[in-house]
Amino acid sequence: MPASPSTARAINDRLALDLLQREGPLTAGQLKQLTGLSRPTVADLVERLAASGLITVVGESGEQRRGPNARLYGIVADRAYLAALDVRTESVSVLVSDLVGRVLAEGSVPVAPEEGEAAAVEQAVELVERAAKEAGASGGGGLLHTVGIGAPGLVDPATGELRDSAGLPVWHRRLVAALQERFPQARVGVENETNLAALAEQREGAAQDRDTFVLLWLGNSCGAAVVLDGSLRRGASGGTGEIGFLPVPGTTGLPTATDCSGGYHSLVGAAAIVELARECGVGPGDLSADRVVKEAVGLSAGGAPVAPHRGAGNRATSRDGAADDDRPSPAHARFLDTLADRIAVGVAAVVAVLDPGCVVLGGEIGPAGGAALATRVEARLRRMSPLATEVRAGALGGAAVLRGALLTARERAQDELFAAPDR
């Protein structure tokens, strides 16, 4: 059946808004070309969207002939403000953006759980309040439209709430309600941090050309996110990707329902990586896991040796005395090889079940290892599995959680603001 006039208008309006969101400001002529709609139809939808306060004239295109088609139309960015949070065990980071995703304010605070749950929640809420005020999104009971939160643990697919998970702070669960109380006009939602990282890598990072892939999060803890045919899969209880509990060889025991220390986490968690580096004689003991991996690769992100130790003649040397250059020393190579062996064990299990064709090494560790680590893992995987799988280093690192939270908040806000009036 053909669409009714009102339905057709709603479809055309959303199409135009999506184009303006993706492409930026456009002229009516460009909207006509990109949508395939007639000039009168485009003129009607531009007038309709402007009257509703969703778009406005933001400039002119630079065409020689001045006229209606030379006006550039853009989304009214301050129609809604969005907040994204990355909630870790002992810290919270936030950024606030406008409706088109332009970041207006950001910040982070350490959280001291020993001070009590109420204090931890209040620190996090005050951080959001400060960022919202800096962005111009304060007042009137709070002008934030949508708040997206990324946190470790299981999110109940039925209620959308964080489940009570052993080993995770109780204040995480209380934070959602506290933010909803402080910003009553806002829509507050929470998602597993690894799932958000996968969404960000798919939209803006290493998996932009993939609609099926697995992201392996490697940081203080480990996790996985599964994207199949473009859709994020959460599982019956929200636990898809809890790979830290995977029983694997090379550990001293088995994981339990409340403790993953006997599982895959024991091989690739940050503490295990730092211990492996110590055993291999790589890096000083005070380096974080991602810095250890960067040093093992032999290069910083900018291509210079990482944290060199000064030896005889003030020559930059690594801990084992080998000169730093573009290639890892024997100790560094031994460390990377062993780490790749460990990572490949878990990746092989995922590949055997899902056959995703692509695995992205994310978190802080994956990008720190870069191509050097990803190539090693892929080579081991080829020996362990008949299923062709490309292994890539993540592009966004730890920032992927905030980016993913912002993307989900933006989509939720757009779904509401861009919806037809009768919905």
Side-chain angles (χ1 to χ4, degrees):
M1 294 178 60
S4 66
S6 61
T7 300
R9 285 194 295 271
I11 293 172
N12 292 340
D13 289 356
R14 184 57 189 261
L15 176 59
L17 287 165
D18 287 344
L19 284 169
L20 289 168
Q21 181 72 61
R22 186 172 67 249
E23 304 292 337
L26 297 169
T27 66
Q30 290 168 329
L31 281 171
K32 174 182 178 298
Q33 181 180 7
L34 292 171
T35 61
L37 300 173
S38 67
R39 187 177 298 275
T41 300
V42 169
D44 287 344
L45 74 82
V46 165
E47 182 179 355
R48 191 163 53 246
L49 293 174
S52 67
L54 289 173
I55 70 171
T56 189
V57 176
V58 296
E60 293 185 337
S61 68
E63 298 174 1
Q64 293 298 322
R65 179 179 61 82
R66 297 304 185 200
N69 286 351
R71 295 175 181 172
L72 279 170
Y73 296 93
I75 290 174
V76 179
D78 59 1
R79 175 69 181 268
Y81 293 93
L82 317 170
L85 281 77
D86 180 2
V87 180
R88 304 291 176 100
T89 304
E90 296 181 351
S91 67
V92 177
S93 298
V94 65
L95 61 80
V96 177
S97 83
D98 57 23
L99 188 56
V100 299
R102 185 172 64 246
V103 176
L104 305 173
E106 53 190 318
S108 62
V109 293
V111 174
E114 64 272 11
E115 295 181 6
E117 299 167 15
V121 171
E122 187 60 25
Q123 282 180 284
V125 172
E126 288 179 353
L127 173 67
V128 177
E129 284 186 319
R130 289 195 300 271
K133 182 176 181 180
E134 181 181 342
S138 60
L143 298 179
L144 289 177
H145 183 280
T146 307
V147 178
I149 304 171
L154 303 180
V155 177
D156 191 316
T159 65
E161 298 177 351
L162 271 175
R163 293 173 52 186
D164 188 11
S165 300
L168 294 178
V170 176
W171 67 268
H172 282 192
R173 297 187 67 203
R174 295 183 55 189
L175 179 59
V176 176
L179 286 169
Q180 191 66 78
E181 181 179 351
R182 194 70 57 93
F183 300 95
Q185 300 174 4
R187 292 80 174 154
V188 182
V190 63
E191 177 61 272
N192 174 267
E193 59 179 356
T194 306
N195 288 343
L196 292 177
L199 174 63
E201 291 286 1
Q202 186 181 36
R203 301 287 182 81
E204 302 177 346
Q208 292 185 61
D209 61 336
R210 293 280 183 169
D211 62 0
T212 295
F213 71 100
V214 169
L215 179 130
L216 179 62
W217 179 271
L218 298 168
N220 285 332
S221 59
C222 64
V226 177
V227 177
L228 301 178
D229 299 324
S231 298
L232 186 67
R233 305 305 172 113
R234 296 177 174 83
S237 61
T240 295
E242 287 295 317
I243 197 172
F245 287 89
L246 180 71
V248 292
T251 62
T252 57
L254 291 173
T256 69
T258 58
D259 186 1
C260 64
S261 61
Y264 188 53
H265 170 81
S266 297
L267 294 183
V268 298
I273 292 175
V274 171
E275 176 61 20
L276 175 62
R278 187 193 64 78
E279 294 172 0
C280 293
V282 172
D286 59 349
L287 283 185
S288 63
D290 57 314
R291 292 288 294 176
V292 167
V293 173
K294 280 184 179 180
E295 180 171 287
V297 172
L299 299 172
S300 70
V306 177
H309 302 278
R310 296 299 173 182
N314 208 33
R315 185 183 180 206
T317 60
S318 58
R319 185 180 179 181
D320 65 353
D324 284 316
D325 58 22
D326 286 358
R327 293 177 299 176
S329 71
H332 291 156
R334 184 167 61 252
F335 167 76
L336 287 175
D337 287 342
T338 306
L339 179 57
D341 288 339
R342 294 183 176 190
I343 293 172
V345 170
V347 172
V350 170
V351 167
V353 175
L354 297 175
D355 187 19
C358 178
V359 173
V360 176
L361 305 182
E364 291 82 12
I365 306 302
L373 181 60
T375 299
R376 282 171 163 82
V377 174
E378 184 175 321
R380 283 150 180 76
L381 196 59
R382 282 198 300 269
R383 297 196 295 266
M384 299 169 68
S385 172
L387 306 177
T389 307
E390 182 181 3
V391 180
R392 303 176 178 179
L396 303 177
V401 177
L402 270 179
R403 293 304 306 170
L406 179 59
L407 287 168
T408 56
R410 195 166 121 191
E411 288 181 352
R412 186 176 180 186
Q414 289 173 354
D415 284 342
E416 179 174 324
L417 295 172
F418 294 175
D422 57 347
R423 269 183 56 185

